[in-house]
Structures are given as C-alpha cells and as structure tokens.
Amino acid sequence: MSDDVAGNGAQEGATGTEAVKAGLARMLKGGVIMDVVNAEQAKIAEDAGACAVMALERIPAEIRRTGGVARMSDPEMILGIQEAVTIPVMAKCRIGHHVEAQVLQALEIDYIDESEVLTPADEASHVDKRAFTVPFVCGATDLGEALRRIAEGAAMIRTKGEAGTGNVVEAVRHMKTITQGIRRVSSATPDERFAIAKEMAAPLDLVEWVGHHARLPVVNFSAGGIATPADAALMMHLGAEGVFVGSGIFLSEDPPARARAIVEATTHWNDPAVIARVSRGLREAMPGIEIGALGAADLLQTRGW
Amino acid sequence: MTAAGAIRPRIGVLAVQGAVGEHEAALADVGARTTRVRVPDDLDGLDGLVIPGGESTTFGVVAGQSGLLNAVRTRVDEGMPVLGTCAGMIMLAGGIADGGPQPLIGGMDIVVRRNAFGRQVHSFEADVAIPVVGDPPMRGIFIRAPWIEEAGPSVEILAVHGGHPVAARDATRIVAAFHPELTDDRRLHRLFVDGVRTKGAVTQPREDSVVGAQ
C-alpha cells in the first residue's frame, strides 16, 4: 500500500485504505454495472446510464457456450474501454490468480472482480485482497461465503447467481440466503454467535459485526441471471443495493433500449408504473436456460468456497 | 419565534443513484428531516437539496429523462440551498474542464475537472483544513474525485488540497470534492443545514413528515 498518490499531480494522502476501497462501492449504489466486450459497447452502456462497466472478452453466456479455459481479458481491450468512457471500469481475474489481479492493478482498473465466471486458478485459496490498492468485488451464495471474502479484503460483495443463464432464480436464492443469514445472526445471542461463526466458517469478529449492525459491512449488489428491468427491480426489492447485468443486455435484440430500461428500473424499483413504461417494446430478451437443464459441472456458482 | 437551532428543515437527497443513505444519516444527525428525490414532485416542500456522490453521467441520463434535472435547476436558480459532494459538485458546476458534453444542473460559478486526481488506485484520504468549520481538519475521502479548476468572484474557496480547490460555497450553495458523508464528522452538513435555517426558508412541516422516511 503506497502513501503517495501520483494522479495528475503529486498529492498528500493515503491510498488503498478500507474507506477508500469500500467508498467507491458506496458511490455505485442504486446503479447498474454492465458487462461489455469492446469500447463501442462500453459507450452504449455509459450513454444508457450505467454507473460502471465490466470489461471482459466474452460475456458469461458465450463462455458457457464455447467452453475452454476463461482467463483475464487482453489488456489491450481493457485499455480501449478505459479510454472510451469516464465511468469506472472493472475487470475480472480468475479466483486465486493474484498475478492477473496485479496486472489489472497495473492497468489502473477501478475494481477487480475475482470471479467464478472465469476458470478458477486455485482450488484452495482466493486472492489475499488486503495486499492490493485497487478494491475487489467477490461473489457469494450465503453469508458465510460473503464474510470469508470480506475477511480476505473484498470491499464489495455480489450474489453469484448463475451467470450466463438469463435466469434470475439463483440470484434470488443467494440474496435471500444472505439476508436470512443476517437476520439469524442479528437475532442470535452472543454465545450463539460463536457457534454460528463455526457453522458458517466465517471469522467471529465479522459475524459479531453483522450481528450488531444487521447488514453486511460492505455494499452488496446482485448478479447472475438478471435479464429484464423487472428482474433488476426484483433484486432491489430483495435488498440488493445495485445490480450487475452480464449477458442480459448485449445478447438481447435491442441493447441500448434494454440497458436504459434496466437503469431506470433500478432507480425506480419501487414504482411499478415506471417499470411498466420502460419495459414496453424492448423486443426479445436474451434466451434463457433452465437451471435444472445444467449439469453439476456446468454450474459456475459452485466455484470458490 | 422558534430558535433557529430547533427548526428541523426538510432536506431532499437526490436518489437517482449513489451514496444516498449516508447523506440521510448525516442530515438526521444535524437535525434535518429528509426526503428521497427521484421525480420532480418530490421537490415539493423542500427547504434544501443534497446531491450525493455517485456517477454524474448516470444522474444526467436518469434525471434528464424524467424532467427532474430541469426541475432541480429551476429550484436552484430560485435560490434553494444545495450541498453537492463529488458527483454532486460536478452537477452543480457551470462547466467541465475535460471536455465531453454532459447534462449539468449548474448554479455554482465554477468549472470542475472530473476524475482530476486519477483513477481509483489514486483515490485517497487526507486531512483537509476547512477554516470555516474550525479545527481540527476534516478527514477528506477522495474517490475518483474532481477538483475545482476555475471559480468566479462570487465563489468562496473553503478548502484546498494539493494546490487545488476542493470545497467552495456561494451563499447557501456548498460543494465538496470529497465525501463528508463517509465519515462521522458532521461539520460540513451542519454548515449547510445552518445556512438553510438562517435563510429562513423553512416551510411548514408536511403531514407525512417522518425522519429518515423510506
């Protein structure tokens, strides 16, 4: 962690602090983060009101279709996207691949997603995210997993859902599971929290923090299967503080209109009239996949621990 | 006559996107009631408005679409007190130094540079002396922060960091490049809300008023 800021002029100040890393996630709240594969898509996303973009070579549905090993994106592509937009640019590294993460930090990416959508590089460990100046977002399916990632230094959490399916059911399950975990911890007695920490395989201090505050210590978005404005609003109803949309926009028939509609629906998630208005005439959403049609080996959400 | 400090003005927080809840908590701490502003009608009965940190391009797209941007601009032109932090400061600026056309609200005679301190890896926290709120300095959290590049004669610079103005006011309009809502230091929010009170623009409480509603 360096003490100096280069920027456009040397500044006094501490970079990479918890407040600075978790703070950017707070600024993204209520917004939509969109997967993009080139500068043109990034510009469409920005013009539609995305609060950030996720730069990657293949969107999750494409990774699912073509198979093989999915890795960090080509830096050339990432740089092109950074030049195209002024909003934050995120990128994915493989689970446990701390060198990919270092490369992304060297590229001055704004947030790293240590993502199960890419092929894991380490089956035992995730990246020690505390060692980085750039903040990380990580996926989670339940409270214990979220707290393990936070203990490793994640400054933002998202549900894993099941990426590339256009099916929101897993994101709903994960968001509800996290919320139920928070309710359980906050209603538990202090001695019960020891047992819960053991059961959830989560650090006791974080379990106690959640118990006292009845929320996660970092911002929690939803991801994995969101394809429509109503899907985005549903996740906000369930307690998401914002949404990631991966394949759902650029695999649909009219990406600019759908991107705009999902942004509107995320702001006005509690106003059905707005969601009805923005949902009109969007043409076809991305084709969806029934989760039961996927084999266990095809599930991305079981990657990581 | 009610003592100024006892008046609980109603402050709106622009809730298109961004750090809304953090500002609501800070405003409640200094005795204001809060309302989330998503559509033009939400501006009715407000004594002041906070434009939070977030993404200014998102504000422009979503608030432009609903007519909210125009409605806010009208109220600001009429003299409604405003506090803008980070993206909020950009929205209240008269212009942007680094180019691209982007919908703004305006109201402060300043030109800002977006992401002036660099990308997120250069985001930082530092002590910022703000004489108008007294000692000690405030802990400024700067996240992909802008700075003020030019300021007109009506603008009073409240703080400078690294040689660049990072907070300013023009009567009851206050802007900061950093995020006082991310710390527990309420002095800048108090300065703003005291300005609202002093302005005497406090309207009658609405029947539906609830502190921290929603």
Side-chain angles (χ1 to χ4, degrees):
Chain A
M1 213 179 290
S2 68
D3 287 322
D4 281 316
V5 181
N8 292 350
Q11 304 300 325
E12 301 271 320
T15 59
T17 63
E18 279 186 36
V20 165
K21 291 198 224 179
L24 177 54
R26 288 168 177 269
M27 300 309 140
L28 300 173
K29 284 193 299 181
V32 182
I33 299 165
M34 302 182 190
D35 278 4
V36 297
V37 300
N38 56 44
E40 185 193 358
Q41 288 186 355
K43 196 66 195 140
I44 289 171
E46 182 175 58
D47 290 346
C51 67
V53 290
M54 177 76 69
L56 73 175
E57 256 164 30
R58 292 179 290 166
I59 54 179
E62 189 71 12
I63 291 171
R64 199 176 273 294
R65 196 177 63 76
T66 55
V69 174
R71 311 180 180 91
M72 179 191 78
S73 297
D74 178 355
E76 190 69 23
M77 183 274 279
I78 292 172
L79 289 167
I81 289 173
Q82 285 176 314
E83 280 169 24
V85 296
T86 62
I87 56 179
V89 178
M90 302 183 166
K92 293 181 192 289
C93 76
R94 284 179 266 178
I95 289 174
H97 205 314
H98 67 265
V99 174
E100 284 188 349
Q102 287 169 345
V103 170
L104 292 174
Q105 176 162 285
L107 292 170
E108 299 199 352
I109 210 78
D110 292 302
Y111 240 94
I112 296 175
D113 183 2
E114 186 185 18
S115 176
E116 71 282 1
V117 168
L118 305 185
T119 309
D122 187 329
E123 293 180 333
S125 300
H126 288 248
V127 171
D128 178 1
K129 294 164 274 287
R130 300 169 301 179
F132 287 78
T133 305
V134 63
F136 281 72
V137 55
C138 289
T141 58
D142 58 31
L143 179 59
E145 190 172 14
L147 296 182
R148 289 192 291 278
R149 296 294 85 77
I150 293 166
E152 294 159 358
M156 180 179 183
I157 292 294
R158 57 171 173 77
T159 60
K160 284 182 171 174
E162 190 57 37
T165 62
N167 189 339
V168 79
V169 67
E170 295 301 304
V172 168
R173 185 202 316 281
H174 299 159
M175 186 57 71
K176 282 188 151 178
T177 305
I178 290 170
T179 308
Q180 286 159 2
I182 292 171
R183 277 206 301 271
R184 180 175 165 221
V185 171
S186 47
S187 66
T189 57
D191 59 311
E192 287 169 345
R193 288 180 188 147
F194 289 101
I196 291 173
K198 179 190 173 194
E199 177 200 317
M200 289 186 174
L204 177 64
D205 60 334
L206 288 174
V207 169
E208 290 181 324
W209 195 98
V210 170
H212 289 132
H213 296 83
R215 62 176 177 85
L216 284 182
V218 301
V219 166
N220 185 22
F221 268 47
S222 188
I226 295 164
T228 69
D231 285 350
L234 173 65
M235 298 317 304
M236 298 297 284
H237 272 275
L238 294 176
E241 296 178 281
V243 297
F244 286 84
V245 184
S247 317
I249 290 170
F250 289 99
L251 271 191
S252 72
E253 282 192 359
D254 188 351
R258 184 164 295 265
R260 180 71 167 264
I262 291 177
V263 168
E264 294 270 349
T266 303
T267 292
H268 300 285
W269 57 271
N270 207 16
D271 189 339
V274 171
I275 299 166
R277 175 173 56 75
V278 302
S279 300
R280 289 175 61 179
L282 287 183
R283 299 163 60 187
E284 282 297 305
M286 70 175 283
I289 299 174
E290 175 59 42
I291 304 299
L294 295 172
D298 297 325
L299 291 177
L300 303 178
Q301 62 182 274
T302 51
R303 293 171 167 182
W305 60 282
Chain B
M1 190 176 153
T2 319
I7 297 173
R8 300 181 59 230
R10 175 171 291 278
I11 309 293
V13 181
L14 190 78
V16 165
Q17 184 267 317
V20 176
E22 290 81 353
H23 273 293
E24 288 174 327
L27 290 164
D29 284 351
V30 297
R33 294 166 296 155
T34 60
T35 296
R36 292 192 176 190
V37 175
R38 291 194 176 91
V39 294
D41 286 352
D42 294 334
L43 292 166
D44 292 349
L46 294 185
D47 304 306
L49 181 69
V50 171
I51 305 177
E55 283 304 316
S56 59
T57 53
T58 304
F59 295 177
V61 169
V62 179
Q65 165 87 4
S66 66
L68 180 58
L69 220 53
N70 287 335
V72 170
R73 191 178 297 118
T74 301
R75 292 295 303 274
V76 172
D77 287 347
E78 290 167 358
M80 180 169 69
V82 281
L83 168 65
T85 59
C86 196
M89 175 169 107
I90 294 170
M91 295 305 293
L92 292 171
I96 293 175
D98 53 317
Q102 173 180 341
L104 300 174
I105 293 164
M108 288 281 287
D109 187 12
I110 55 172
V111 173
V112 299
R113 181 172 294 278
R114 291 176 306 172
N115 304 337
F117 293 96
R119 298 184 191 279
Q120 174 63 13
V121 290
H122 304 295
S123 293
F124 63 97
E125 52 179 291
D127 288 341
V128 179
I130 308 178
V132 72
V133 302
D135 285 330
M138 289 184 73
R139 190 66 177 168
I141 298 178
F142 293 79
I143 297 175
R144 290 168 40 91
W147 68 45
I148 297 168
E149 194 117 322
E150 298 167 33
S154 65
V155 175
E156 174 191 3
I157 300 301
L158 299 181
V160 172
H161 183 80
H164 301 280
V166 292
R169 74 172 163 183
D170 181 349
T172 55
R173 300 167 188 176
I174 300 175
V175 292
F178 55 93
H179 293 282
E181 74 278 13
L182 294 186
T183 68
D184 294 330
D185 191 336
R186 301 306 189 212
R187 286 177 289 169
L188 209 62
H189 285 86
R190 184 167 292 115
L191 181 71
F192 170 64
V193 172
D194 283 348
V196 173
R197 291 180 175 123
T198 312
K199 192 167 183 293
V202 176
T203 53
Q204 290 304 307
R206 298 193 308 196
E207 285 180 9
D208 61 346
S209 63
V210 178
V211 176
Q214 325 180 33

